[in-house]
Amino acid sequence: MTMEDLGGLATEASDPRYAELDLMSVAELAQTMNEADATVPAAVQRALPQIVPAIEATADRMAQGGRLVYVGAGTPGRIGVLDASECPPTFSTPPELVFAIMAGGPGAIVNPVEGAEDDAEAGAAAIDAAGIGPLDTVIGIASSGRTPYVIAAVRRARERGALSIGLSCNVGTALSAAAEHGIEVEVGPEVLSGSTRLKSGTAQKLVLNMFSTISMVRNGKAYGNLMVDVKATNHKLRERAIRMVQTIADVDRGAAKAALEATSYDVKLASIMIRRGEDLAAATARLDAADGRLRTALEENRCASSD
């Protein structure tokens, strides 16, 4: 697709329903945007048959030690940065496990870099520089589905044996063709024509939420719906950790807090110590033997108790 063909993209189209946007009141604008945003989850739902197998393949690779890498330019790149940056505090993952590559470099997160998204060579080079390999997953994000930097990065990742995924908001895109898994979330024209930070950006964040969260859940980073690997770095999170241990171990606040203080606020270890009546070393060994999966460790506890 050439630059002249961009007008044919749904994400670049002008919706006649919004032709008098600048004449609307604030209330009318808010209602209009809210109604448009409400269509995004349905668009994501229609794409679930594309999304689900891609997440399954991602989680399998991460279970083997692979990384999850987002690649994007402009708003899609920033959304990738946002989702990746939330993984360490939410799941206690090292920053190199889930990270984002931004066209134009880190500075482009705040200040746009002219021509960065059109630099295909830089996209491929960024994949090489990251040492992408067969266990890794690379998700290229581009609303249009034709961003040269992103397409080149996805194509290079696929050449290096990585799982390659293309996430766009148009149909039959070059990005989908370059990737092993093409995900196309059709959100239609934006309220403000071409402003793909709106519905397109919302759709991308919803899909990335699924990739990071589901991959982590599948790899033992949750117990039920509790984020048991959270880093308790402030008062709110320490209180959350206490409540989680109270729930998991069925103890009062004092017992939960004491166990957490003994483990530097590690919810999994504190829960095992209480449920097993073990010291920190034994609880650590038990959790390691369960590959970090709290449910597995506690199920072994029940089996042992029934002997």
Side-chain angles (χ1 to χ4, degrees):
M1 176 174 288
T2 66
M3 295 299 289
E4 290 74 18
D5 295 326
L6 285 174
L9 296 174
T11 52
E12 294 291 327
S14 180
D15 193 323
R17 292 177 298 174
Y18 312 129
E20 295 185 344
L21 198 69
D22 60 330
L23 300 179
M24 292 182 183
S25 68
V26 171
E28 290 170 333
L29 286 164
Q31 180 69 24
T32 295
M33 291 186 68
N34 183 247
E35 289 175 353
D37 289 341
T39 67
V40 175
V44 173
Q45 183 178 42
R46 290 192 295 272
L48 286 178
Q50 300 171 333
I51 295 169
V52 170
I55 294 177
E56 289 174 337
T58 298
D60 287 346
R61 279 171 170 74
M62 293 189 76
Q64 300 174 64
R67 300 171 293 173
L68 175 57
V69 184
Y70 301 135
V71 181
T75 296
R78 295 181 187 102
I79 291 171
V81 170
L82 172 61
D83 196 74
S85 68
E86 292 290 349
C87 288
T90 305
F91 301 109
S92 292
T93 56
E96 63 272 14
L97 182 64
V98 183
F99 65 94
I101 295 173
M102 180 80 179
I109 296 172
V110 177
N111 299 307
V113 176
E114 184 176 354
E117 72 172 56
D118 297 324
D119 192 342
E121 290 185 4
I127 294 298
D128 290 336
I132 297 300
L135 292 181
D136 297 326
T137 298
V138 173
I139 303 179
I141 318 159
S143 301
S144 67
R146 47 90 34 220
T147 305
Y149 182 98
V150 178
I151 293 172
V154 166
R155 185 176 290 124
R156 183 65 179 133
R158 191 171 185 178
E159 291 171 353
R160 293 177 66 102
L163 177 68
S164 57
I165 299 167
L167 171 59
S168 60
C169 294
N170 285 296
V171 180
T173 68
L175 179 57
S176 292
E180 182 178 346
H181 292 270
I183 298 172
E184 298 176 341
V185 184
E186 300 177 64
V187 297
E190 301 287 359
V191 171
L192 185 63
S193 299
S195 183
T196 51
R197 69 187 182 88
L198 301 178
K199 289 191 296 180
S200 296
T202 299
Q204 290 156 14
K205 186 62 175 78
L206 290 176
V207 174
L208 297 193
N209 280 348
M210 290 181 182
F211 269 92
S212 56
T213 304
I214 295 172
S215 294
M216 294 299 172
V217 170
R218 295 290 292 173
N219 281 286
K221 294 291 187 177
Y223 179 82
N225 66 341
L226 303 178
M227 55 171 75
V228 288
D229 268 326
V230 67
K231 284 187 176 180
T233 55
N234 57 43
H235 177 73
K236 178 189 74 174
L237 295 178
R238 286 190 289 274
E239 288 298 312
R240 183 182 298 167
I242 291 170
R243 292 194 301 273
M244 283 192 284
V245 173
Q246 285 184 265
T247 298
I248 296 167
D250 192 22
V251 294
D252 62 23
R253 175 184 169 83
K257 185 176 181 182
L260 283 165
E261 289 176 345
T263 63
S264 299
Y265 272 79
D266 187 307
V267 172
K268 289 180 175 179
L269 291 176
S271 299
I272 294 170
M273 286 173 63
I274 295 172
R275 289 275 294 267
R276 286 289 297 174
E278 296 176 337
D279 62 18
L280 179 57
T284 300
R286 179 172 293 277
L287 187 60
D288 289 344
D291 293 325
R293 297 174 183 271
L294 179 57
R295 185 173 296 279
T296 300
L298 295 180
E299 285 175 352
E300 290 174 352
N301 176 30
R302 287 197 293 270
C303 290
S305 297
S306 64
D307 289 341

